[in-house]
Amino acid sequence: MIALIDCNNFFASCEQVFQPQLAGKPLVVLSNNDGNVIARSSEARKLGIGMGVLAGSVREFVRSHELQIRSSNYPLYGDMSSRVMDTLEALLPRIERYSIDEAFADVSGLSRERLLELFRFVRHRVQRHTGIQVSIGVARTKTLAKVANRLAKRHPELAGVCVGTTTESFGKTLEQMKTRDIWGIGGKISKKLSGFGINNAKQLRDADPAWIKKQFSVVLMRTVLELRGESCLKLEEPEESRKSLMCGRSFGKPLKELEDIRPALTHFVQNAVTRLWKYKQATSALTVYLSTNRFRKNITQRSVSASVELEVTNNLMQLNAAAQRALEQIFKSGFEYHKVGVLLHDFISVKNIPATLFETESGIQASQELMWAVKKINAKFGRYTVASASVSGSADWRARSKFRSPAFTTCWNELPLVRA
DNA sequence: TCTGGGGTCCTAGGACCC
DNA sequence: TCTGGGGTCCTAGGACCC
């Protein structure tokens, strides 16, 4: 049996944990650059505020319903996610961290009653340790666990835990679900399915897998089998899971000059390489992306990328130099650029590389120690206290973030204060 | 004014080989 | 005039997820 543990309204809940005045209020969290809504408290959802709507379109609710607005605060959400995951890991034998707010757990060999008991306890523990509420769905496959989780969220009488041990018990639910609502089925595929007269999840479950494979793909065939209770998607091992790593963001203002874009890229390379170290990986290839704002129809669009192959390395200076060269290759003046980013791929685990392959072991060490020191100082005194030379200078690339709450848990200067 | 960021997996098709 | 066929590897791009 597989369980899916999912944090309710995760980003909004993280904000509410540290700002009790937000509890029970309609609240939305905005994307980078305060562009659109990426999370809503249940009260905001009840107001009819949709996922992904423009920030400007919710302004009326600020006046009429005291809607609260926050910019996204990823250091906070990432840290809260770790706390939730650590709690789950302490209580369950094996979990897969699937996303920032979801985890799968392998829980074979327990009766329905024991599962219910276990997960009611898990839910209570997570709430007590972190202040975050989770919903839990349990079934024979990942895809059905997703369905069970949906039921746990929608039926208050289940108190957040739904265990579906037999496949037949899902029949009625699947009949009422659109194919679009099944995990792994998006807009394109659901449209093509309805062309064949398959409109609900039960019809999909009962379709011929071989035919599905032929008409669609092996991916959708696995979904069909999973809906039938035949597990095709196993829990993934953490060390196998990472294949690439990306860092990039849209700018606060459009940028036209190469020299204005460089510091942004340097910043993203720094961030990406720090994560590379954390995963104990080195890389042998990177790609730099540069593009204009595709939503602005009245400007000339340009979207380009360049890949560079490298000697295996995890050295920040080398990687940044390579990224800057790639940027020079693709940059052309005369465009209003909106976003730059770097993708590191083709990883090799550091422990599998003979030390002699690095030019000097101590050089790597020194570069890493320097970066860790920078990280620590910034964590203590706030972002950008220390940055490499090309990161300082014009700050036009930095995203707008007008409603950002403090980094309550990851920056000493921003710890919440409690007065007694 | 404003339009997210970070991932995975699979497939099709080209290049190349014998 | 005819213009194979099967295999592998690689890359770009599509589709999806949260």
Side-chain angles (χ1 to χ4, degrees), chain A residues 68-85:
Chain A
Q68 304 291 310
I69 299 180
R70 292 291 179 275
S71 302
S72 40
N73 184 344
Y74 286 100
L76 175 66
Y77 311 149
D79 185 61
M80 290 302 285
S81 172
S82 305
R83 295 176 187 215
V84 171
M85 299 296 171

Side-chain angles (χ1 to χ4, degrees), chain A residues 283-314:
Chain A
T283 182
S284 58
L286 66 78
T287 303
V288 172
Y289 295 93
L290 179 68
S291 63
T292 50
N293 186 346
R294 66 183 202 281
F295 293 101
R296 288 178 60 193
K297 299 296 179 204
N298 55 340
I299 63 167
T300 323
Q301 295 293 319
R302 185 154 192 266
S303 179
V304 280
S305 67
S307 299
V308 188
E309 284 185 28
L310 306 153
E311 297 276 315
V312 175
T313 182
N314 65 356

Side-chain angles (χ1 to χ4, degrees), chain A residues 3-27:
Chain A
L4 174 67
I5 301 107
D6 186 321
C7 300
N8 297 353
N9 313 320
F10 184 56
F11 295 173
S13 301
C14 289
E15 299 287 344
Q16 286 169 327
V17 167
F18 290 95
Q19 300 161 88
Q21 75 276 16
L22 297 179
K25 296 251 173 70
L27 165 72

Side-chain angles (χ1 to χ4, degrees), chain A residues 310-410:
Chain A
L310 306 153
E311 297 276 315
V312 175
T313 182
N314 65 356
N315 181 294
L316 171 67
M317 312 303 165
Q318 281 176 13
L319 287 166
N320 190 36
Q324 296 293 336
R325 281 197 303 276
L327 176 64
E328 288 158 25
Q329 273 177 38
I330 54 180
F331 179 84
K332 238 169 69 180
S333 57
F335 298 90
E336 293 190 30
Y337 292 105
H338 177 63
K339 183 174 177 177
V340 73
V342 64
L343 173 68
L344 307 181
H345 40 112
D346 296 3
F347 292 165
I348 296 166
S349 180
V350 167
K351 64 171 189 277
N352 295 335
I353 304 171
T356 51
L357 230 104
F358 289 129
E359 78 290 33
T360 65
E361 180 81 355
S362 60
I364 301 286
Q365 198 67 38
S367 147
Q368 292 203 6
E369 281 170 7
L370 173 67
M371 284 310 303
W372 284 118
V374 168
K375 277 288 250 196
K376 269 193 192 157
I377 291 169
N378 287 345
K380 194 160 181 178
F381 299 107
R383 296 158 94 200
Y384 314 129
T385 306
V386 178
S388 86
S390 62
V391 168
S392 51
S394 164
D396 284 350
W397 61 272
R398 294 195 192 288
R400 283 177 302 279
S401 189
K402 250 166 63 187
F403 315 101
R404 195 168 172 281
S405 52
F408 292 112
T409 61
T410 54

Side-chain angles (χ1 to χ4, degrees), chain A residues 273-284:
Chain A
V273 171
T274 309
R275 282 157 59 200
L276 188 69
W277 293 341
K278 204 163 90 188
Y279 301 129
K280 298 186 174 23
Q281 303 283 318
T283 182
S284 58

Side-chain angles (χ1 to χ4, degrees), chain A residues 92-112:
Chain A
L92 297 164
R94 204 157 82 81
I95 77 159
E96 172 195 337
R97 299 181 182 216
Y98 174 67
S99 74
I100 194 164
D101 68 338
E102 280 175 60
F104 287 106
D106 190 333
V107 283
S108 300
L110 296 178
S111 69
R112 198 186 130 78

